[in-house]
Short mmCIF file of all heavy atoms in Angstrom, two decimals:
data_model
loop_
_atom_site.label_atom_id
_atom_site.label_comp_id
_atom_site.label_asym_id
_atom_site.label_seq_id
_atom_site.Cartn_x
_atom_site.Cartn_y
_atom_site.Cartn_z
N MET A 17 -12.79 -15.45 10.30
CA MET A 17 -12.31 -14.30 9.58
C MET A 17 -10.88 -14.41 9.21
O MET A 17 -10.09 -14.97 10.01
CB MET A 17 -12.50 -13.07 10.52
CG MET A 17 -13.97 -12.59 10.62
SD MET A 17 -14.61 -12.08 9.07
CE MET A 17 -15.05 -10.40 9.40
N TYR A 18 -10.55 -13.91 8.10
CA TYR A 18 -9.18 -13.86 7.65
C TYR A 18 -8.75 -12.37 7.44
O TYR A 18 -9.51 -11.55 6.95
CB TYR A 18 -9.02 -14.62 6.30
CG TYR A 18 -9.08 -16.06 6.50
CD1 TYR A 18 -10.30 -16.75 6.53
CD2 TYR A 18 -7.92 -16.86 6.58
CE1 TYR A 18 -10.40 -18.13 6.72
CE2 TYR A 18 -7.97 -18.23 6.79
CZ TYR A 18 -9.22 -18.81 6.82
OH TYR A 18 -9.28 -20.16 6.99
N LEU A 19 -7.55 -12.08 7.82
CA LEU A 19 -7.03 -10.71 7.76
C LEU A 19 -6.06 -10.58 6.55
O LEU A 19 -5.23 -11.47 6.36
CB LEU A 19 -6.36 -10.31 9.05
CG LEU A 19 -7.12 -10.60 10.32
CD1 LEU A 19 -6.26 -10.30 11.51
CD2 LEU A 19 -8.40 -9.78 10.33
N ILE A 20 -6.18 -9.49 5.85
CA ILE A 20 -5.29 -9.27 4.75
C ILE A 20 -4.31 -8.13 5.15
O ILE A 20 -4.73 -7.07 5.53
CB ILE A 20 -6.01 -8.83 3.44
CG1 ILE A 20 -7.29 -9.67 3.18
CG2 ILE A 20 -5.16 -8.81 2.22
CD1 ILE A 20 -7.08 -11.12 2.90
N PHE A 21 -3.02 -8.37 5.01
CA PHE A 21 -2.01 -7.41 5.37
C PHE A 21 -0.80 -7.52 4.48
O PHE A 21 -0.64 -8.47 3.72
CB PHE A 21 -1.67 -7.52 6.90
CG PHE A 21 -1.30 -8.94 7.29
CD1 PHE A 21 0.03 -9.35 7.26
CD2 PHE A 21 -2.28 -9.84 7.64
CE1 PHE A 21 0.40 -10.64 7.56
CE2 PHE A 21 -1.89 -11.14 7.98
CZ PHE A 21 -0.59 -11.54 7.96
N ARG A 22 0.08 -6.58 4.63
CA ARG A 22 1.31 -6.60 3.79
C ARG A 22 2.55 -6.73 4.66
O ARG A 22 2.68 -6.21 5.77
CB ARG A 22 1.43 -5.31 3.01
CG ARG A 22 0.47 -5.28 1.82
CD ARG A 22 0.65 -4.05 1.06
NE ARG A 22 1.82 -4.10 0.19
CZ ARG A 22 2.25 -3.12 -0.64
NH1 ARG A 22 1.60 -2.00 -0.63
NH2 ARG A 22 3.28 -3.32 -1.39
N CYS A 23 3.51 -7.42 4.12
CA CYS A 23 4.87 -7.51 4.66
C CYS A 23 5.64 -6.29 4.30
O CYS A 23 5.29 -5.59 3.33
CB CYS A 23 5.53 -8.78 4.14
SG CYS A 23 7.25 -8.99 4.72
N ASP A 24 6.76 -6.04 4.98
CA ASP A 24 7.60 -4.92 4.66
C ASP A 24 8.22 -5.06 3.28
O ASP A 24 8.57 -4.06 2.67
CB ASP A 24 8.74 -4.83 5.70
CG ASP A 24 8.19 -4.48 7.07
OD1 ASP A 24 7.16 -3.88 7.19
OD2 ASP A 24 8.86 -4.82 8.06
N CYS A 25 8.33 -6.28 2.76
CA CYS A 25 8.90 -6.48 1.47
C CYS A 25 7.88 -6.19 0.37
O CYS A 25 8.23 -6.16 -0.82
CB CYS A 25 9.39 -7.97 1.34
SG CYS A 25 8.01 -9.16 1.17
N GLY A 26 6.59 -5.91 0.73
CA GLY A 26 5.60 -5.56 -0.21
C GLY A 26 4.61 -6.64 -0.56
O GLY A 26 3.60 -6.37 -1.17
N ARG A 27 4.92 -7.88 -0.21
CA ARG A 27 4.01 -8.94 -0.54
C ARG A 27 2.70 -8.83 0.26
O ARG A 27 2.77 -8.34 1.39
CB ARG A 27 4.69 -10.30 -0.28
CG ARG A 27 5.69 -10.66 -1.27
CD ARG A 27 6.27 -12.03 -0.98
NE ARG A 27 7.32 -12.40 -1.95
CZ ARG A 27 8.58 -12.06 -1.86
NH1 ARG A 27 9.01 -11.34 -0.86
NH2 ARG A 27 9.44 -12.47 -2.81
N VAL A 28 1.67 -9.30 -0.31
CA VAL A 28 0.37 -9.32 0.40
C VAL A 28 0.16 -10.70 0.93
O VAL A 28 0.32 -11.68 0.24
CB VAL A 28 -0.79 -8.87 -0.59
CG1 VAL A 28 -2.13 -8.83 0.20
CG2 VAL A 28 -0.46 -7.58 -1.26
N LEU A 29 -0.23 -10.71 2.20
CA LEU A 29 -0.45 -11.98 2.89
C LEU A 29 -1.78 -12.04 3.55
O LEU A 29 -2.42 -10.99 3.78
CB LEU A 29 0.63 -12.17 4.02
CG LEU A 29 2.07 -12.11 3.61
CD1 LEU A 29 2.87 -12.03 4.95
CD2 LEU A 29 2.49 -13.28 2.83
N TYR A 30 -2.24 -13.29 3.84
CA TYR A 30 -3.43 -13.34 4.70
C TYR A 30 -3.14 -14.33 5.84
O TYR A 30 -2.35 -15.18 5.69
CB TYR A 30 -4.64 -13.75 3.84
CG TYR A 30 -4.62 -15.15 3.28
CD1 TYR A 30 -5.04 -16.22 4.07
CD2 TYR A 30 -4.21 -15.37 2.03
CE1 TYR A 30 -5.04 -17.51 3.55
CE2 TYR A 30 -4.17 -16.66 1.45
CZ TYR A 30 -4.60 -17.77 2.22
OH TYR A 30 -4.62 -18.99 1.75
N GLY A 31 -3.87 -14.12 6.94
CA GLY A 31 -3.75 -14.93 8.03
C GLY A 31 -5.09 -15.08 8.70
O GLY A 31 -5.90 -14.16 8.70
N LYS A 32 -5.32 -16.27 9.31
CA LYS A 32 -6.61 -16.46 10.01
C LYS A 32 -6.59 -15.60 11.25
O LYS A 32 -5.56 -15.46 11.92
CB LYS A 32 -6.60 -17.95 10.40
CG LYS A 32 -8.02 -18.44 10.67
CD LYS A 32 -8.01 -19.92 10.84
CE LYS A 32 -9.40 -20.58 10.81
NZ LYS A 32 -10.48 -19.90 11.36
N GLU A 33 -7.74 -14.99 11.51
CA GLU A 33 -7.86 -14.11 12.67
C GLU A 33 -7.54 -14.88 13.92
O GLU A 33 -8.03 -16.07 14.12
CB GLU A 33 -9.26 -13.56 12.73
CG GLU A 33 -9.39 -12.46 13.71
CD GLU A 33 -10.73 -11.72 13.60
OE1 GLU A 33 -11.74 -12.39 13.39
OE2 GLU A 33 -10.74 -10.48 13.74
N GLY A 34 -6.76 -14.29 14.76
CA GLY A 34 -6.43 -14.95 16.05
C GLY A 34 -5.07 -15.61 15.95
O GLY A 34 -4.42 -15.90 17.09
N VAL A 35 -4.48 -15.78 14.78
CA VAL A 35 -3.16 -16.32 14.67
C VAL A 35 -2.13 -15.20 14.97
O VAL A 35 -2.29 -14.06 14.44
CB VAL A 35 -2.92 -16.88 13.22
CG1 VAL A 35 -1.45 -17.21 12.97
CG2 VAL A 35 -3.76 -18.17 13.07
N ALA A 36 -1.20 -15.42 15.83
CA ALA A 36 -0.26 -14.39 16.22
C ALA A 36 0.76 -14.00 15.25
O ALA A 36 1.02 -12.80 15.07
CB ALA A 36 0.42 -14.84 17.52
N THR A 37 1.33 -14.94 14.57
CA THR A 37 2.38 -14.62 13.61
C THR A 37 2.16 -15.35 12.27
O THR A 37 1.49 -16.37 12.21
CB THR A 37 3.78 -15.02 14.10
OG1 THR A 37 3.83 -16.45 14.37
CG2 THR A 37 4.17 -14.28 15.35
N ARG A 38 2.73 -14.74 11.24
CA ARG A 38 2.60 -15.34 9.91
C ARG A 38 3.95 -15.14 9.26
O ARG A 38 4.57 -14.05 9.30
CB ARG A 38 1.49 -14.52 9.15
CG ARG A 38 1.29 -15.03 7.74
CD ARG A 38 0.38 -16.29 7.69
NE ARG A 38 -0.23 -16.44 6.41
CZ ARG A 38 0.38 -16.97 5.39
NH1 ARG A 38 1.64 -17.41 5.48
NH2 ARG A 38 -0.19 -17.06 4.20
N LYS A 39 4.50 -16.19 8.63
CA LYS A 39 5.77 -16.08 7.99
C LYS A 39 5.65 -15.77 6.48
O LYS A 39 4.82 -16.44 5.83
CB LYS A 39 6.58 -17.39 8.19
CG LYS A 39 8.05 -17.19 7.86
CD LYS A 39 8.89 -18.33 8.30
CE LYS A 39 10.36 -17.94 7.98
NZ LYS A 39 11.28 -19.00 8.29
N CYS A 40 6.35 -14.73 6.07
CA CYS A 40 6.28 -14.38 4.68
C CYS A 40 7.31 -15.22 3.94
O CYS A 40 8.28 -15.72 4.45
CB CYS A 40 6.64 -12.89 4.54
SG CYS A 40 6.72 -12.31 2.85
N VAL A 41 7.15 -15.34 2.60
CA VAL A 41 8.08 -16.10 1.80
C VAL A 41 9.46 -15.46 1.77
O VAL A 41 10.45 -16.12 1.47
CB VAL A 41 7.60 -16.32 0.31
CG1 VAL A 41 6.42 -17.30 0.29
CG2 VAL A 41 7.20 -15.00 -0.35
N CYS A 42 9.60 -14.15 2.09
CA CYS A 42 10.85 -13.49 2.15
C CYS A 42 11.64 -13.91 3.38
O CYS A 42 12.81 -13.60 3.53
CB CYS A 42 10.71 -11.96 2.10
SG CYS A 42 10.10 -11.29 3.65
N GLY A 43 11.02 -14.61 4.30
CA GLY A 43 11.70 -15.13 5.50
C GLY A 43 11.36 -14.38 6.78
O GLY A 43 11.72 -14.83 7.84
N LYS A 44 10.67 -13.23 6.61
CA LYS A 44 10.36 -12.38 7.79
C LYS A 44 9.15 -12.98 8.51
O LYS A 44 8.20 -13.37 7.85
CB LYS A 44 10.11 -10.99 7.31
CG LYS A 44 10.11 -9.93 8.36
CD LYS A 44 9.94 -8.55 7.72
CE LYS A 44 9.50 -7.52 8.76
NZ LYS A 44 10.49 -7.21 9.82
N THR A 45 9.21 -13.04 9.81
CA THR A 45 8.03 -13.39 10.61
C THR A 45 7.31 -12.20 11.06
O THR A 45 7.87 -11.31 11.70
CB THR A 45 8.47 -14.31 11.80
OG1 THR A 45 9.14 -15.46 11.29
CG2 THR A 45 7.25 -14.75 12.59
N LEU A 46 6.05 -12.09 10.69
CA LEU A 46 5.23 -10.90 10.97
C LEU A 46 4.34 -11.14 12.18
O LEU A 46 3.73 -12.13 12.29
CB LEU A 46 4.39 -10.52 9.77
CG LEU A 46 5.17 -10.30 8.47
CD1 LEU A 46 4.19 -10.23 7.33
CD2 LEU A 46 6.00 -9.05 8.53
N LYS A 47 4.31 -10.13 13.06
CA LYS A 47 3.29 -10.15 14.12
C LYS A 47 2.02 -9.57 13.56
O LYS A 47 1.94 -8.38 13.26
CB LYS A 47 3.77 -9.35 15.32
CG LYS A 47 4.89 -10.02 16.09
CD LYS A 47 5.14 -9.38 17.41
CE LYS A 47 6.25 -10.01 18.16
NZ LYS A 47 7.48 -9.16 18.19
N VAL A 48 1.03 -10.43 13.39
CA VAL A 48 -0.20 -10.02 12.68
C VAL A 48 -0.84 -8.78 13.44
O VAL A 48 -1.30 -7.84 12.76
CB VAL A 48 -1.24 -11.12 12.63
CG1 VAL A 48 -2.56 -10.74 12.03
CG2 VAL A 48 -0.64 -12.32 11.83
N LYS A 49 -0.85 -8.78 14.75
CA LYS A 49 -1.53 -7.69 15.49
C LYS A 49 -0.88 -6.33 15.23
O LYS A 49 -1.50 -5.30 15.37
CB LYS A 49 -1.53 -7.98 17.01
CG LYS A 49 -2.74 -8.78 17.36
CD LYS A 49 -2.82 -8.99 18.83
CE LYS A 49 -3.99 -9.87 19.18
NZ LYS A 49 -3.95 -10.42 20.51
N SER A 50 0.45 -6.31 14.88
CA SER A 50 1.12 -5.04 14.72
C SER A 50 1.06 -4.55 13.26
O SER A 50 1.59 -3.47 12.94
CB SER A 50 2.53 -5.19 15.18
OG SER A 50 3.28 -6.01 14.29
N ARG A 51 0.46 -5.33 12.36
CA ARG A 51 0.30 -4.91 10.98
C ARG A 51 -0.92 -4.14 10.77
O ARG A 51 -1.93 -4.25 11.49
CB ARG A 51 0.28 -6.14 10.03
CG ARG A 51 1.36 -7.18 10.18
CD ARG A 51 2.68 -6.61 10.18
NE ARG A 51 3.00 -5.93 8.89
CZ ARG A 51 4.27 -5.43 8.64
NH1 ARG A 51 5.22 -5.51 9.46
NH2 ARG A 51 4.46 -4.84 7.46
N ARG A 52 -0.82 -3.28 9.78
CA ARG A 52 -2.09 -2.56 9.37
C ARG A 52 -2.93 -3.57 8.51
O ARG A 52 -2.43 -4.17 7.56
CB ARG A 52 -1.73 -1.33 8.52
CG ARG A 52 -2.88 -0.46 8.26
CD ARG A 52 -2.42 0.96 8.09
NE ARG A 52 -1.79 1.18 6.80
CZ ARG A 52 -2.51 1.51 5.68
NH1 ARG A 52 -3.77 1.69 5.70
NH2 ARG A 52 -1.83 1.73 4.56
N ILE A 53 -4.15 -3.72 8.92
CA ILE A 53 -5.04 -4.66 8.22
C ILE A 53 -5.76 -3.94 7.12
O ILE A 53 -6.45 -2.94 7.35
CB ILE A 53 -6.04 -5.28 9.22
CG1 ILE A 53 -5.29 -5.97 10.42
CG2 ILE A 53 -6.93 -6.29 8.54
CD1 ILE A 53 -4.31 -7.00 10.03
N PHE A 54 -5.65 -4.44 5.90
CA PHE A 54 -6.25 -3.87 4.77
C PHE A 54 -7.72 -4.26 4.56
O PHE A 54 -8.52 -3.52 4.14
CB PHE A 54 -5.49 -4.15 3.51
CG PHE A 54 -4.18 -3.38 3.38
CD1 PHE A 54 -3.04 -3.94 3.93
CD2 PHE A 54 -4.14 -2.10 2.89
CE1 PHE A 54 -1.82 -3.25 3.90
CE2 PHE A 54 -2.97 -1.42 2.83
CZ PHE A 54 -1.79 -1.96 3.38
N ARG A 55 -7.94 -5.53 4.86
CA ARG A 55 -9.23 -6.09 4.62
C ARG A 55 -9.50 -7.23 5.59
O ARG A 55 -8.54 -7.89 6.01
CB ARG A 55 -9.39 -6.67 3.20
CG ARG A 55 -9.98 -5.74 2.26
CD ARG A 55 -10.38 -6.50 1.07
NE ARG A 55 -9.89 -5.96 -0.14
CZ ARG A 55 -10.10 -6.44 -1.38
NH1 ARG A 55 -10.71 -7.61 -1.52
NH2 ARG A 55 -9.61 -5.82 -2.42
N LYS A 56 -10.75 -7.51 5.81
CA LYS A 56 -11.15 -8.70 6.54
C LYS A 56 -12.15 -9.44 5.71
O LYS A 56 -13.10 -8.86 5.17
CB LYS A 56 -11.88 -8.30 7.88
CG LYS A 56 -11.00 -8.10 9.04
CD LYS A 56 -11.86 -7.91 10.29
CE LYS A 56 -11.00 -7.85 11.57
NZ LYS A 56 -11.86 -7.74 12.70
N VAL A 57 -11.95 -10.71 5.52
CA VAL A 57 -12.87 -11.49 4.76
C VAL A 57 -13.28 -12.74 5.51
O VAL A 57 -12.63 -13.13 6.54
CB VAL A 57 -12.31 -11.87 3.39
CG1 VAL A 57 -12.09 -10.66 2.51
CG2 VAL A 57 -11.00 -12.67 3.55
N ALA A 58 -14.36 -13.40 5.09
CA ALA A 58 -14.90 -14.52 5.86
C ALA A 58 -14.23 -15.87 5.59
O ALA A 58 -14.03 -16.57 6.53
CB ALA A 58 -16.41 -14.62 5.56
N THR A 59 -13.88 -16.11 4.37
CA THR A 59 -13.40 -17.47 4.01
C THR A 59 -11.95 -17.43 3.45
O THR A 59 -11.48 -16.36 2.97
CB THR A 59 -14.26 -18.10 3.00
OG1 THR A 59 -14.17 -17.35 1.75
CG2 THR A 59 -15.73 -18.13 3.43
N ARG A 60 -11.36 -18.59 3.44
CA ARG A 60 -9.98 -18.74 2.93
C ARG A 60 -9.98 -18.43 1.37
O ARG A 60 -9.03 -17.88 0.86
CB ARG A 60 -9.53 -20.19 3.14
CG ARG A 60 -8.10 -20.42 2.99
CD ARG A 60 -7.69 -21.84 3.45
NE ARG A 60 -6.31 -21.96 3.48
CZ ARG A 60 -5.55 -22.32 2.43
NH1 ARG A 60 -6.11 -22.53 1.28
NH2 ARG A 60 -4.20 -22.38 2.52
N GLU A 61 -11.02 -18.84 0.72
CA GLU A 61 -11.11 -18.57 -0.72
C GLU A 61 -11.14 -17.05 -1.01
O GLU A 61 -10.46 -16.55 -1.88
CB GLU A 61 -12.39 -19.20 -1.33
CG GLU A 61 -12.37 -20.67 -1.55
CD GLU A 61 -12.34 -21.45 -0.20
OE1 GLU A 61 -12.96 -20.96 0.76
OE2 GLU A 61 -11.78 -22.51 -0.16
N GLU A 62 -11.93 -16.35 -0.18
CA GLU A 62 -12.00 -14.87 -0.38
C GLU A 62 -10.66 -14.21 -0.03
O GLU A 62 -10.24 -13.25 -0.69
CB GLU A 62 -13.08 -14.29 0.54
CG GLU A 62 -14.51 -14.54 0.05
CD GLU A 62 -15.52 -13.96 1.05
OE1 GLU A 62 -15.69 -12.73 1.03
OE2 GLU A 62 -16.05 -14.73 1.83
N ALA A 63 -10.01 -14.76 0.94
CA ALA A 63 -8.71 -14.22 1.36
C ALA A 63 -7.71 -14.40 0.23
O ALA A 63 -6.98 -13.46 -0.13
CB ALA A 63 -8.20 -14.97 2.62
N SER A 64 -7.69 -15.61 -0.34
CA SER A 64 -6.82 -15.84 -1.46
C SER A 64 -7.09 -14.97 -2.66
O SER A 64 -6.21 -14.45 -3.29
CB SER A 64 -6.97 -17.30 -1.80
OG SER A 64 -6.55 -17.57 -3.09
N GLU A 65 -8.40 -14.71 -2.92
CA GLU A 65 -8.80 -13.75 -3.98
C GLU A 65 -8.41 -12.33 -3.70
O GLU A 65 -7.90 -11.60 -4.58
CB GLU A 65 -10.36 -13.79 -4.17
CG GLU A 65 -10.75 -14.89 -5.15
CD GLU A 65 -12.32 -15.03 -5.10
OE1 GLU A 65 -12.98 -13.98 -4.94
OE2 GLU A 65 -12.77 -16.16 -5.34
N ALA A 66 -8.57 -11.95 -2.45
CA ALA A 66 -8.26 -10.54 -2.05
C ALA A 66 -6.75 -10.29 -2.20
O ALA A 66 -6.31 -9.26 -2.67
CB ALA A 66 -8.70 -10.29 -0.62
N VAL A 67 -5.94 -11.31 -1.82
CA VAL A 67 -4.48 -11.20 -1.98
C VAL A 67 -4.15 -11.04 -3.46
O VAL A 67 -3.34 -10.18 -3.85
CB VAL A 67 -3.80 -12.42 -1.38
CG1 VAL A 67 -2.32 -12.50 -1.79
CG2 VAL A 67 -3.87 -12.43 0.14
N GLN A 68 -4.75 -11.85 -4.33
CA GLN A 68 -4.51 -11.77 -5.74
C GLN A 68 -4.88 -10.41 -6.32
O GLN A 68 -4.12 -9.82 -7.07
CB GLN A 68 -5.34 -12.90 -6.44
CG GLN A 68 -4.84 -13.24 -7.80
CD GLN A 68 -3.42 -13.79 -7.77
OE1 GLN A 68 -3.14 -14.68 -7.00
NE2 GLN A 68 -2.50 -13.13 -8.48
N GLU A 69 -6.05 -9.90 -5.89
CA GLU A 69 -6.52 -8.56 -6.34
C GLU A 69 -5.52 -7.50 -5.94
O GLU A 69 -5.15 -6.64 -6.75
CB GLU A 69 -7.82 -8.20 -5.72
CG GLU A 69 -9.01 -8.67 -6.47
CD GLU A 69 -10.32 -8.46 -5.68
OE1 GLU A 69 -10.41 -7.43 -4.97
OE2 GLU A 69 -11.24 -9.33 -5.78
N MET A 70 -5.07 -7.56 -4.70
CA MET A 70 -4.12 -6.55 -4.21
C MET A 70 -2.75 -6.64 -4.90
O MET A 70 -2.21 -5.63 -5.29
CB MET A 70 -3.95 -6.61 -2.68
CG MET A 70 -5.13 -5.98 -1.96
SD MET A 70 -4.93 -5.99 -0.18
CE MET A 70 -3.53 -4.87 -0.04
N GLN A 71 -2.32 -7.88 -5.18
CA GLN A 71 -1.08 -8.08 -5.92
C GLN A 71 -1.17 -7.51 -7.29
O GLN A 71 -0.26 -6.86 -7.78
CB GLN A 71 -0.69 -9.54 -6.00
CG GLN A 71 -0.51 -10.24 -4.62
CD GLN A 71 0.95 -10.14 -4.13
OE1 GLN A 71 1.63 -9.21 -4.38
NE2 GLN A 71 1.32 -11.15 -3.38
N ASN A 72 -2.36 -7.68 -7.92
CA ASN A 72 -2.57 -7.14 -9.23
C ASN A 72 -2.58 -5.63 -9.26
O ASN A 72 -2.02 -4.97 -10.17
CB ASN A 72 -3.94 -7.62 -9.81
CG ASN A 72 -3.85 -9.09 -10.20
OD1 ASN A 72 -2.75 -9.67 -10.34
ND2 ASN A 72 -5.01 -9.73 -10.37
N GLU A 73 -3.17 -5.03 -8.22
CA GLU A 73 -3.25 -3.55 -8.10
C GLU A 73 -1.78 -3.01 -7.95
O GLU A 73 -1.42 -1.99 -8.54
CB GLU A 73 -4.06 -3.13 -6.87
CG GLU A 73 -5.53 -3.03 -7.16
CD GLU A 73 -6.37 -2.87 -5.92
OE1 GLU A 73 -5.87 -2.19 -4.96
OE2 GLU A 73 -7.48 -3.41 -5.88
N ILE A 74 -1.01 -3.72 -7.13
CA ILE A 74 0.36 -3.25 -6.84
C ILE A 74 1.33 -3.53 -8.04
O ILE A 74 2.09 -2.68 -8.44
CB ILE A 74 0.89 -3.93 -5.57
CG1 ILE A 74 0.03 -3.49 -4.35
CG2 ILE A 74 2.31 -3.52 -5.30
CD1 ILE A 74 0.09 -4.49 -3.24
N TYR A 75 1.28 -4.75 -8.56
CA TYR A 75 2.25 -5.15 -9.55
C TYR A 75 1.68 -5.30 -10.93
O TYR A 75 2.38 -5.10 -11.92
CB TYR A 75 2.86 -6.54 -9.17
CG TYR A 75 3.52 -6.56 -7.78
CD1 TYR A 75 2.99 -7.25 -6.80
CD2 TYR A 75 4.79 -5.90 -7.62
CE1 TYR A 75 3.58 -7.28 -5.54
CE2 TYR A 75 5.35 -5.86 -6.41
CZ TYR A 75 4.76 -6.58 -5.36
OH TYR A 75 5.40 -6.56 -4.15
N GLY A 76 0.39 -5.63 -10.98
CA GLY A 76 -0.27 -5.94 -12.28
C GLY A 76 -0.14 -4.78 -13.31
O GLY A 76 0.20 -5.01 -14.47
N ASN A 77 -0.43 -3.49 -12.85
CA ASN A 77 -0.44 -2.38 -13.81
C ASN A 77 0.97 -2.15 -14.35
O ASN A 77 1.12 -1.82 -15.54
CB ASN A 77 -0.87 -1.14 -13.05
CG ASN A 77 -2.35 -1.20 -12.66
OD1 ASN A 77 -3.09 -2.01 -13.24
ND2 ASN A 77 -2.78 -0.43 -11.66
N THR A 78 1.96 -2.32 -13.54
CA THR A 78 3.32 -2.13 -14.00
C THR A 78 3.68 -3.15 -15.03
O THR A 78 4.25 -2.83 -16.09
CB THR A 78 4.33 -2.30 -12.83
OG1 THR A 78 3.85 -1.53 -11.71
CG2 THR A 78 5.71 -1.87 -13.17
N ASP A 79 3.29 -4.37 -14.77
CA ASP A 79 3.57 -5.46 -15.77
C ASP A 79 2.82 -5.12 -17.16
O ASP A 79 3.41 -5.32 -18.21
CB ASP A 79 3.04 -6.79 -15.22
CG ASP A 79 3.88 -7.35 -14.09
OD1 ASP A 79 4.99 -6.87 -14.00
OD2 ASP A 79 3.36 -8.20 -13.39
N PHE A 80 1.65 -4.62 -16.99
CA PHE A 80 0.85 -4.31 -18.17
C PHE A 80 1.57 -3.23 -19.04
O PHE A 80 1.73 -3.33 -20.23
CB PHE A 80 -0.54 -3.85 -17.82
CG PHE A 80 -1.41 -3.50 -18.99
CD1 PHE A 80 -1.90 -4.49 -19.81
CD2 PHE A 80 -1.66 -2.16 -19.38
CE1 PHE A 80 -2.68 -4.20 -20.96
CE2 PHE A 80 -2.39 -1.85 -20.49
CZ PHE A 80 -2.91 -2.89 -21.24
N LYS A 81 2.03 -2.18 -18.34
CA LYS A 81 2.71 -1.09 -19.07
C LYS A 81 4.00 -1.61 -19.72
O LYS A 81 4.25 -1.31 -20.92
CB LYS A 81 3.14 0.01 -18.06
CG LYS A 81 2.00 1.01 -17.87
CD LYS A 81 2.40 2.04 -16.82
CE LYS A 81 1.17 2.71 -16.18
NZ LYS A 81 1.35 3.12 -14.85
N LEU A 82 4.70 -2.49 -19.03
CA LEU A 82 5.93 -2.99 -19.59
C LEU A 82 5.61 -3.87 -20.78
O LEU A 82 6.31 -3.74 -21.84
CB LEU A 82 6.70 -3.83 -18.53
CG LEU A 82 7.32 -3.07 -17.40
CD1 LEU A 82 7.95 -3.99 -16.39
CD2 LEU A 82 8.42 -2.13 -17.98
N ALA A 83 4.57 -4.65 -20.71
CA ALA A 83 4.16 -5.55 -21.83
C ALA A 83 3.78 -4.70 -23.02
O ALA A 83 4.12 -5.07 -24.15
CB ALA A 83 3.06 -6.47 -21.35
N SER A 84 3.06 -3.62 -22.80
CA SER A 84 2.55 -2.77 -23.94
C SER A 84 3.70 -1.97 -24.58
O SER A 84 3.55 -1.47 -25.67
CB SER A 84 1.51 -1.86 -23.45
OG SER A 84 2.06 -0.86 -22.61
N ASP A 85 4.82 -1.88 -23.91
CA ASP A 85 5.97 -1.18 -24.51
C ASP A 85 6.74 -2.05 -25.50
O ASP A 85 7.50 -1.55 -26.25
CB ASP A 85 6.93 -0.73 -23.36
CG ASP A 85 6.45 0.45 -22.67
OD1 ASP A 85 5.58 1.18 -23.19
OD2 ASP A 85 6.93 0.75 -21.55
N LEU A 86 6.49 -3.36 -25.43
CA LEU A 86 7.19 -4.25 -26.32
C LEU A 86 6.87 -4.05 -27.77
O LEU A 86 5.69 -3.81 -28.13
CB LEU A 86 6.95 -5.69 -25.89
CG LEU A 86 7.54 -6.14 -24.53
CD1 LEU A 86 7.02 -7.50 -24.19
CD2 LEU A 86 9.01 -6.07 -24.52
ZN1 LIG B 2 8.03 -10.42 3.08
#
């Protein structure tokens, strides 16, 4: 199982279940157990897709609005 969670910086990350910590690209080391888990998926591929979907939900719409204003 892979867990989908967010860093305080807003980035969406995934980590294999059972792994204690995960380092975000912002430099922060997250304790996986203390994070709110958004989703659980079975495979690494699904985890990667789920992260992409969530990033799109969070950032994608904004980008779209900005693009349409041009
Ligand atoms: Zn971060």
Side-chain angles (χ1 to χ4, degrees):
M17 285 297 240
Y18 287 83
L19 309 175
I20 316 296
F21 51 92
R22 283 183 80 181
C23 178
D24 296 333
C25 73
R27 286 182 180 86
V28 184
L29 304 168
Y30 67 85
K32 202 171 194 323
E33 193 171 37
V35 169
T37 60
R38 180 80 160 80
K39 195 168 184 184
C40 178
V41 288
C42 74
K44 197 173 162 65
T45 301
L46 304 168
K47 289 194 180 104
V48 176
K49 274 185 182 164
S50 68
R51 309 307 300 184
R52 190 151 75 88
I53 304 303
F54 287 91
R55 263 198 230 177
K56 271 187 175 185
V57 294
T59 66
R60 196 172 188 274
E61 283 71 30
E62 284 178 79
S64 158
E65 273 171 31
V67 166
Q68 199 60 55
E69 272 173 36
M70 281 184 68
Q71 299 271 32
N72 287 344
E73 276 169 33
I74 297 157
Y75 302 110
N77 293 340
T78 313
D79 288 342
F80 180 75
K81 274 177 202 150
L82 287 174
S84 67
D85 283 342
L86 292 172

